[in-house]
Amino acid sequence: MQNTHTDFETQFERKIDAEEKIEPKDWMPEAYRKNLVRQISQHAHSEVIGMQPEGNWLTRAPSLKRKCILLAKIQDEGGHGLYLYSAAETLGVTREELVEALHEGRAKYASIFNYPAVTWADIGAIGWLVDGAAIVNQISLQRTSYGPYARAMVRICKEESFHQRQGYEIMVKLAEGNAAQKAMAQDAMERWWWPSLMMFGPHDAESAHSAQSMLWKIKRQSNDNLRQKFVDQTVPQAEAIGLTIPDKDLKWNEARGHYDFGDIDWDEFNRVVSGNGPCNRQRLQHHVKAHEDGAWVRDAMSAYAARQQPNA
């Protein structure tokens, strides 16, 4: 007796409810598959685009040690992109389709990477704040319902914790330095704080995908809950090194057991997400050029692989 669509859907929902992973060969609703492709590809694009502002500082790092650390971090991010593209491919989409969607503006990446890194302190702020925000989100994704995505996140989270620590260590050293160095660290904090809060996306009630993603356990925690966790863990870190968070409304709420914080500039968020941030065009043009310049390498690899096949 053949299974009906209803039977497959029932089995899918049972696995979700039982906290069992959905695997590539399992039946899944088409909307679940599309939701995953959108989220995983956006995550992959973010890792790869995020290499650009840091790569621009490789030749200007203040010491050989700093250069080696930054190079290792950038290589990690490239690897994260590859893990995530591979996870997306298990859903029946090709790498070429994912990259094409990015280049044509049909796929997005994290809005944070459309801001410029103008000083060395920005590299510290990116590691501490941006990667710190990413970790808060990604720890919960280790329990996402899709198996390949969850397993990729285990390794990614381990490496992101290194990224966050190296960024914070840069800020510690600058905060301990002379007046100009501390001012540089404070300036980076003031420019990166609010974009870091925007990384978690719009309020839950205004998010187009959050509700369904939560039901399917693709997402495990809401945007607002994750944003609150990030604020709660980061404020004491800033206080420990003497940096001031640029939010006049920030204060500890004893009754809630959390920090209260000010309103995000959602107009700026929507402007950057829509492609009108400080570096949107620059970031995408750089990626398109790098992809086109590397076409000969991909062609050569494909030709070599074809020659290794028997009876080719």
Side-chain angles (χ1 to χ4, degrees), residues 51-64:
M51 299 165 69
Q52 291 188 37
E54 294 175 316
N56 190 42
W57 275 92
L58 272 175
T59 59
R60 295 179 288 164
S63 69
L64 179 59

Side-chain angles (χ1 to χ4, degrees), residues 4-15 27 29:
T4 64
H5 180 276
T6 303
D7 292 333
F8 286 130
E9 192 162 15
T10 299
Q11 292 172 19
F12 171 81
E13 292 174 352
R14 180 197 62 75
K15 293 189 76 171
W27 183 91

Side-chain angles (χ1 to χ4, degrees), residues 259-273:
Y259 284 94
D260 293 334
F261 53 95
D263 293 329
I264 291 170
D265 185 346
W266 294 112
D267 288 339
E268 177 183 340
F269 170 80
N270 290 323
R271 186 166 61 251
V272 176
V273 168

